[in-house]
Amino acid sequence: FSRSVARAVCWIDTVLKGTNGKNLAIKWQGEEKMPQPKVKLVVTGDDFGYCERRNQGIVDCFRAGAISNVSLLVNAVSAKHAAELAKRYHIPIGLHANLSEGLPVSQELKGSTILNKDGFFHGKMGFREVLQSGQLKMSEVEVELRAQVNRFCELVGHMPYHMDGHQHVHVLPEVREVFAQVLSDFGITYTRVPIEPDLKFCTFLPSHLRDFNAQVEKDALESIEVFHRHGIRWPDVYLGLSTMGKNMSLPNLKRALGFALEASLDDAVTSPLILTQSNDAASDSYRPVTAELMVHPGYPSQPHQGGCGEGPDDFSQSADRLHELNTLRDHLVLHYYRQQGIHLCAFKDF
């Protein structure tokens, strides 16, 4: 009898995944009751904190099991509201470092090169223009990034699980070196490397977006060595540039996620679809592909409500935010994840 009991003993692996934060995988000797996922997918809701309507939409999306992670704008007007929601619903949360929109967090930047004459950041393209002109002081970038990490900790109560850049500023030349050093100093392990497989073939995107995305990918590719040198990691596959706004649909999500699923069938180390990081996985008998899907769901901002100190922009007021919200929580999308072995999780679950 005791031998039978011994053979029947199971052990429980608890892994922090999914919308409720917990998912028990129960294994019997020689048998696994829960199949290994093919893909561990972080679905990150960006711009958390932008306004209360965006916040509520992101939370509704999380509670529906449609996103699994959020990225907080600590200089946004509703950042405190967002942090309280994250605590209430146990939402995995990281920092969306902002150097391009609104007011700075640091109080030490009066007359700074990263601000315009009115004391605001230079804007999405303006920041890039000032950087390219050689007039941006990296010491001031560092001061602001460190201030934003500290503000995050004050609001949330712990370090960010990951840190990326609003409007992809973190991969820009020079900025990426400072960004990587700040992450290393604070012990923040994960970031985002926005290089999307086959993005150049997405001809349905307007030309101005294709041009911007191509530059983002060039900058991101040049950031890989910098991040690797500082011991920073990122998911194997990045998705989201081709699925934003009205371009988010079940067929388009399937197309994009197909790259992660294809990589899962290859050797995790040698797949051409995976961004090279290290050979850590070489000794593992099996490792799911890790991926991040960047999304921007929410209830659209109302005029004069929200933003980072200058009011809400057109992006946040667009009906595209609601379209993303409704598409992500569509039962057909959620069924597709289950059917394909795509498991939603957070960076801390890798």
Side-chain angles (χ1 to χ4, degrees):
F1 175 76
S2 61
R3 290 179 181 175
S4 299
V5 171
R7 284 195 297 268
V9 168
C10 69
W11 65 94
I12 298 176
D13 288 340
T14 303
V15 286
L16 292 174
K17 310 181 210 174
T19 58
N20 61 357
K22 293 183 179 179
N23 189 4
L24 297 182
I26 301 177
K27 301 177 182 178
W28 293 84
Q29 186 173 356
E31 179 184 0
E32 184 172 311
K33 293 296 184 181
M34 179 178 292
Q36 286 273 16
K38 295 178 184 175
V39 176
K40 285 185 171 183
L41 177 66
V42 177
V43 184
T44 301
D46 278 3
D47 302 341
F48 200 41
Y50 200 85
C51 72
E52 292 194 7
R53 285 174 56 81
R54 289 287 299 282
N55 290 351
Q56 190 58 55
I58 288 171
V59 168
D60 289 350
C61 212
F62 175 80
R63 297 187 73 193
I67 66 171
S68 56
N69 183 63
V70 294
S71 204
L72 179 67
L73 286 165
V74 294
N75 74 325
V77 297
S78 296
K80 184 177 180 182
H81 175 254
E84 291 169 351
L85 289 171
K87 293 174 188 175
R88 184 184 310 165
Y89 295 107
H90 308 288
I91 305 174
I93 186 169
L95 174 57
H96 204 41
N98 186 1
L99 298 172
S100 57
E101 182 180 355
L103 292 165
V105 169
S106 173
Q107 301 298 308
E108 304 172 21
L109 295 174
K110 187 175 181 181
S112 167
T113 62
I114 67 174
L115 305 177
N116 64 22
K117 60 182 177 58
D118 297 316
F120 296 107
F121 290 129
H122 293 290
K124 177 180 176 179
M125 301 310 298
F127 181 85
R128 287 165 165 84
E129 290 166 4
V130 176
L131 174 64
Q132 194 170 20
S133 74
Q135 298 175 18
L136 213 60
K137 292 184 179 177
M138 289 302 113
S139 60
E140 295 170 349
V141 168
E142 181 176 357
V143 166
E144 179 60 17
L145 288 176
R146 291 183 183 278
Q148 291 191 19
V149 174
N150 289 327
R151 173 67 62 84
F152 180 98
C153 295
E154 292 169 6
L155 290 169
V156 179
H158 60 73
M159 277 288 174
Y161 293 126
H162 62 95
M163 183 168 161
D164 54 49
H166 185 48
Q167 299 169 339
H168 309 294
V169 296
H170 67 301
V171 295
L172 289 169
E174 298 183 74
V175 176
R176 54 186 170 237
E177 291 279 358
V178 176
F179 180 85
Q181 186 63 58
V182 169
L183 264 66
S184 179
D185 289 349
F186 280 102
I188 301 168
T189 308
Y190 279 96
T191 191
R192 171 184 293 168
V193 176
I195 302 174
E196 184 169 335
D198 277 4
L199 183 66
K200 62 184 177 181
F201 297 115
C202 295
T203 55
F204 55 84
L205 295 174
S207 59
H208 72 280
L209 272 184
R210 290 203 303 273
D211 292 344
F212 178 76
N213 291 343
Q215 187 60 52
V216 167
E217 289 203 319
K218 179 179 181 295
D219 292 333
L221 188 62
E222 294 171 357
S223 298
I224 287 177
E225 184 276 329
V226 177
F227 293 159
H228 182 69
R229 178 163 27 96
H230 285 83
I232 299 162
R233 301 186 64 82
W234 55 91
D236 298 320
V237 178
Y238 166 83
L239 307 165
L241 293 174
S242 68
T243 54
M244 288 176 60
K246 63 176 182 291
N247 293 315
M248 183 174 285
S249 64
L250 178 56
N252 207 18
L253 286 170
K254 285 182 176 180
R255 176 199 57 78
L257 289 163
F259 293 110
L261 290 166
E262 183 180 342
S264 74
L265 300 176
D266 298 332
D267 185 312
V269 177
T270 62
S271 171
L273 296 171
I274 285 179
L275 298 176
T276 302
Q277 298 183 63
S278 69
N279 290 329
D280 292 348
S283 61
D284 295 342
S285 58
Y286 176 78
R287 179 178 72 85
V289 168
T290 58
E292 182 188 18
L293 173 63
M294 174 192 73
V295 298
H296 299 83
Y299 302 113
S301 300
Q302 299 285 5
H304 313 298
Q305 294 181 11
C308 300
E310 299 175 280
D313 59 12
D314 293 340
F315 182 89
S316 192
Q317 294 180 73
S318 170
D320 287 351
R321 308 286 69 76
L322 183 60
H323 172 74
E324 288 197 28
L325 171 60
N326 289 334
T327 303
L328 286 165
R329 61 182 180 181
D330 188 317
H331 73 280
L332 293 175
V333 172
L334 302 180
H335 175 72
Y336 176 75
Y337 294 153
R338 293 190 295 270
Q339 183 185 53
Q340 296 297 322
I342 299 171
H343 189 95
L344 268 61
C345 66
F347 283 95
K348 61 190 179 73
D349 303 323
F350 287 167

